[in-house]
Amino acid sequence: SQTIHQWPATLVQPVGSPLSLECTVEGTSNPNLYWYRQAAGRGLQLLFYSVGIGQISSEVPQNLSASRPQDRQFILSSKKLLLSDSGFYLCAWSELREDNEQFFGPGTRLTVL
Amino acid sequence: AQSVTQLGSHVSVSEGALVLLRCNYSSSVPPYLFWYVQYPNQGLQLLLKYTTGATLVKGINGFEAEFKKSETSFHLTKPSAHMSDAAEYFCAVSDYKLIFGTGTRLQVFP
């Protein structure tokens, strides 16, 4: 069966520091991968999605970036964090299928101080 | 473009009462529709989905939803609420990606 992992589970970082969040999927090949953010009291915001290695689409311009160095690995990065980057970050995957059902990871809680 | 509207950001019910969470969608093509649940500090879990066929869809934890094309709705119901149902619920429609509603927080009182 397929599983999706995210780490770290929680992270507290100072403003201006770098960020690296990692997501890995097991038990499937060539998944579509997604990064979402939930700010406090708000819904899901799609940040990036990827349909293959090295292929990244950005949905929202910001100081975050994403990379997909391996088929089942998706990384969310920032060179300098802002206070507004605080939130709950979710990684998700889907197979190449018509209904685009997505499966979510456990999330990373990021607090920028 | 496809979109989803969830009516009511907060819904409160008593334990044992009917749960009704509303979702309306906009789509130019026959939609694929989803309900996800999120417990505090966790990821989203699929409750149920509609693709084709039967318009009444049964999901996990006793939830069900009915696809009504004429009303462009996909409301989520459960006959009797349980304390463990307290969570945030998201409706979504599928485009080349999932388009999520803003979520409804369900509170269940004893």
Side-chain angles (χ1 to χ4, degrees):
Chain A
S1 64
Q2 300 90 358
T3 55
I4 178 169
H5 304 279
Q6 286 186 246
W7 64 90
T10 59
L11 190 59
V12 180
Q13 292 286 92
V15 170
S17 64
L19 173 73
S20 180
L21 302 182
E22 189 164 342
C23 170
T24 59
V25 181
E26 296 177 355
T28 187
S29 297
N30 197 30
N32 294 331
L33 296 171
Y34 309 83
W35 278 113
Y36 291 87
R37 177 170 62 200
Q38 278 183 299
R42 302 182 68 179
L44 286 158
Q45 180 184 37
L46 179 62
L47 302 175
F48 302 94
Y49 70 93
S50 171
V51 299
I53 296 175
Q55 300 180 62
I56 309 295
S57 296
S58 174
E59 289 289 306
V60 182
Q62 56 206 314
N63 73 321
L64 298 172
S65 63
S67 62
R68 185 170 177 174
Q70 300 180 44
D71 181 45
R72 291 168 289 175
Q73 184 185 30
F74 205 23
I75 297 172
L76 183 69
S77 303
S78 173
K79 292 182 179 179
K80 290 185 177 181
L81 284 168
L82 306 173
L83 286 174
S84 58
D85 291 324
S86 293
F88 193 53
Y89 288 82
L90 288 162
C91 182
W93 72 274
S94 68
E95 294 178 335
L96 184 62
R97 47 190 285 174
E98 193 171 350
D99 66 12
N100 201 22
E101 177 182 344
Q102 292 180 20
F103 303 89
F104 285 79
T108 294
R109 173 75 59 191
L110 172 65
T111 303
V112 182
L113 301 175
Chain B
Q2 295 179 323
S3 65
V4 170
T5 301
Q6 290 185 242
L7 298 176
S9 58
H10 289 82
V11 171
S12 298
V13 300
S14 298
E15 193 172 20
L18 171 72
V19 175
L20 171 60
L21 305 182
R22 299 177 185 273
C23 173
N24 287 89
Y25 69 91
S26 172
S27 175
S28 57
V29 298
Y32 297 122
L33 294 161
F34 303 81
W35 275 101
Y36 284 86
V37 61
Q38 184 181 31
Y39 299 101
N41 293 311
Q42 295 186 26
L44 276 68
Q45 179 184 4
L46 182 69
L47 270 179
L48 50 80
K49 66 177 179 181
Y50 170 78
T51 52
T52 59
T55 57
L56 183 62
V57 181
K58 294 187 183 299
I60 62 171
N61 302 337
F63 284 93
E64 61 183 34
E66 186 171 10
F67 170 63
K68 293 187 176 180
K69 185 178 179 180
S70 61
E71 299 177 7
T72 61
S73 69
F74 190 55
H75 301 333
L76 183 70
T77 60
K78 181 174 181 178
S80 177
H82 192 273
M83 297 294 290
S84 61
D85 294 326
E88 186 141 24
Y89 293 80
F90 292 93
C91 181
V93 63
S94 180
D95 196 331
Y96 70 95
K97 57 186 179 182
L98 285 186
I99 310 296
F100 285 91
T102 52
T104 298
R105 185 166 299 278
L106 175 66
Q107 286 185 303
V108 182
F109 293 101

